[in-house]
Every structure is written in structure tokens, then in C-alpha cells.
Amino acid sequence: MEEKKQEEVSEQEIIDQPNEDETTENSQAEVVEEDSELDQLREEKEEIHNRLLRLQADYDNFRRRTQKEKEADRKYKAQSLVEELIPVLDNFERALQVEVDGESAQNFASGMKMVYDQFQAALDKEGVEEIPAQGEVFDPHLHQAVMQVEDDNYESNVVVEQLQKGYRLNDRVIRPAMVKVNQ
Amino acid sequence: MEEKKQEEVSEQEIIDQPNEDETTENSQAEVVEEDSELDQLREEKEEIHNRLLRLQADYDNFRRRTQKEKEADRKYKAQSLVEELIPVLDNFERALQVEVDGESAQNFASGMKMVYDQFQAALDKEGVEEIPAQGEVFDPHLHQAVMQVEDDNYESNVVVEQLQKGYRLNDRVIRPAMVKVNQ
């Protein structure tokens, strides 16, 4: 900015000079013409230079924004699949709770428990984790209160029971835990 | 940096001019000097203009590349999780093949089959699909031949049997199908 001011002053000096110049009139006219061309060129140069600076700033901003977006995309890239898999996990857990009798059925069930564990490990590896609920202080960002109770065994505003598990993908809540809260 | 230096030189020239300015000859000298200043300015302007064009081209390229990368990232974003889930799917299928007797066990098994179907539907929605194998012409991009057989029921170079399912995420092969191929 300051630099620009100096330049303007210099230009002013240049414009003023020919008037003081009283030797040869032709040369003087020529000088005046060249001066105005000089001025124009300086202006054009400055304008292009400003465009260059603006473009550079735009480019830098774009690069920064792109970088941030990329990082966020990477962190939450599995989100849509995780959202689909959470209900599968719910049903898997529900199905595993059914009691079975007999040895073959027990073997079948323990095979399924292993599949469940592997399923959970895969989600875990991608950054999926359960949101702690029971016994925690109620947090509206993490917990969805669907019932209020009065329970002397718990402090006020504490989660008494979890009705449905909640999940986070890295630090993003994918589904809040559905809970009962103490009044 | 260099540019600034050039500018400083120009300013110095301007300041020096009035001193030389005494006769016609001097005026002519002035014209010559202004010509060289014009030339210099033109050069500078052109140089900045070229920088502007190069920067614009860089920016455009960067934008295009970023756009392409984004599309690819979106298309294959679930890949790492899918890679983890494919072995879960394998084991799930294997576990479901175990025979069970008794009503409670049958109910348990059919509950698990429903979970399996939901699991597969979730993967399906994300663009995960099985690679066709048995009866297909052997394709080294899609199939991994672990055995060669001679079977008159099949044409030459056709997949006779699939030993392990292969999967694609959209058009990308995540795991080729493991197959027996006819000679």
C-alpha cells in the first residue's frame, strides 16, 4: 500500500516535469506523449500485478480449503456405510441374546458370537466406538433422553439406563445413545 | 524481490532527470532514456502478465485434479472398511452353513440369516458386489486361479468352481474370486 503511494507521487513528478522544461517545444511534446504512455504502462502493469496478487490469494485459499476438506473426508469417509451397519449391529446383538439348547445349537451360537466379535473389531478399526451411557452425566450431544425417572441410587441428571447404544465415528456422533435420565 | 529492485531503479532515474535537463541535446537524451524506460516497463508488464497466465493455468489444473480426486475418494471412500468386512462376510456365510436341529436352534439360525441379509444389503447399498465367477471366462483382473482342471463339461479357460467369493467396490476389485479354471 505504502509502495503504491510512493509510486503515485513519482508519477506526479513526472507529469509536472515537462512544464518546467522550456528548451525545445517539439522534444517537449514528444516527451509529454511518452510520459503519458509511461503512465499508462505503469497503470497497466500495476493492474496486472494486482490481478496476480488476487489470484495468488484465491489459489492459496482454495488449496487450504481443499486440504481441510480432504482431512475431514478421510476421517469420516466410512460414515455412510457405518450408518447402514449400526442397525445390523443392533439386530446382531438382539439375535445373539436368544437362548438356545443342545450342543449343535450352542456351537452354532458360539460361531455366530465369533462373527459378531470380528464384525465389531472391523468397525472398531475404522474408528467406530460405542458412546458411554449408563452412569454418565447426561450430555445432549451424546445422549437422547426418551424417559425421565426418579432414582435415589443415581445423582441428578445422570443416565440411569441405556435403551439403545449410541455410536461415534472418530469424534463425530453417528447416533446418540437412547437413554433414561434421572431427574 | 527482483521486481522491487527494478522499480527502485526507475524511481531513481526519474529523480535524476531534471539535473540533466538543460539543452536540446539533453532533451533528446531524455527521449532516449524514456524510451528505454518504456521498454523496461513493457518488459516488466509482460513478465507479470506471463506469471499471471502461468498461475491461472496452475490454478485450473489444481482445481481439475482436486475435482477428480474428490470423485474417486467419494466412489471408494468405504474401501478400507469394506476390506475389513469381507472376511466377516466369509465367516458369516461359513457359520450359517452349520446344520442345526430343534425349533429354538432353527429360530436362532433364521434370526441370524436375517442379520446376514441386512448386512449384505448395507454393503450392497455402498456399491459392494460379488464378482461373478462360476461359468465365466477366466479374467485375471477378476479371478485368481489357484487350480487348473480338465473338465469336458466346460469350455477351455472357463471358471469351473469358485473356492472363495470375490468382491468389487463400484468398479474396483477389492478381492478377486479364488477359482479353479478349466485348461
Side-chain angles (χ1 to χ4, degrees), chain B residues 1 4 35 46 50 67 107 132 136-137 144 161 170 176 178:
Chain B
M1 209 55 227
K4 210 192 153 191
D35 275 348
E46 183 165 332
N50 287 338
Q67 189 54 35
N107 286 342
E136 301 286 316
V137 174
Q144 185 193 349
E161 195 187 331
N170 297 309
M178 222 183 269

Side-chain angles (χ1 to χ4, degrees), chain A residues 3 7 17 21 24 34-35 37 42 44-45 63 66 69-70 80 84 91 118 125-126, chain B residues 7 17 21 24 34-35 37 42 44-45 62-63 66 69-70 80 84 91 118 125-126:
Chain A
E3 196 187 318
E7 216 170 278
Q17 280 164 25
D21 206 322
T24 312
E34 294 228 346
D35 275 348
E37 206 179 334
R42 283 202 191 93
E44 286 169 8
K45 183 186 146 189
R63 253 197 302 227
T66 302
E69 280 174 9
K70 253 193 187 169
S80 62
E84 295 291 323
N91 287 335
Q118 194 189 5
K125 201 170 164 188
E126 196 67 22
Chain B
E7 219 169 273
Q17 278 166 25
D21 215 65
T24 310
E34 294 227 345
D35 275 348
E37 203 181 337
R42 279 197 197 96
E44 286 170 7
K45 184 186 144 189
F62 184 78
R63 254 196 302 227
T66 302
E69 279 175 8
K70 254 192 186 170
S80 62
E84 295 291 324
N91 287 335
Q118 195 190 4
K125 202 171 164 186
E126 196 67 22

